[in-house]
Amino acid sequence: MKKKLGSFFARKVGNSAVLTIPSKANVKLGQRFELTQENNGTVIYKSIGYNPWFNGEYDDIDFKKEI
């Protein structure tokens, strides 16, 4: 199911153009995305490789204590 989350403008940060992601999209910090651009100019970001080691999910776990 698709849902429209709003309309956004690209802004400049350093040498890059940046698009913001609203919090209601439930994107976690550190989540990885693949960017593709179609021939008609459409830009598509797809979430890739869910990895709890890199997205902060395990940051507060004391693994030595768990052993």
Side-chain angles (χ1 to χ4, degrees), residues 1 5 8 10-12 20 22 25 29-30 37 48-49 55 57-59 64:
M1 174 178 77
L5 298 177
F8 306 92
R11 60 186 171 91
K12 184 175 175 128
T20 58
L29 294 177
Q37 186 173 29
I48 59 170
N55 71 2
E57 188 173 326
Y58 293 162
D59 286 354
K64 287 184 180 180

Side-chain angles (χ1 to χ4, degrees), residues 6-31:
S7 177
F8 306 92
F9 290 98
R11 60 186 171 91
K12 184 175 175 128
V13 175
N15 291 326
S16 300
V18 176
L19 292 171
T20 58
I21 301 172
S23 60
K24 62 185 171 184
N26 295 319
V27 172
K28 296 190 183 297
L29 294 177
Q31 187 173 345

Side-chain angles (χ1 to χ4, degrees), residues 33-46 48:
F33 291 86
E34 174 183 78
L35 173 63
T36 57
Q37 186 173 29
E38 297 181 353
N39 291 336
N40 67 0
T42 300
V43 174
I44 300 170
Y45 283 94
K46 289 186 180 180
I48 59 170

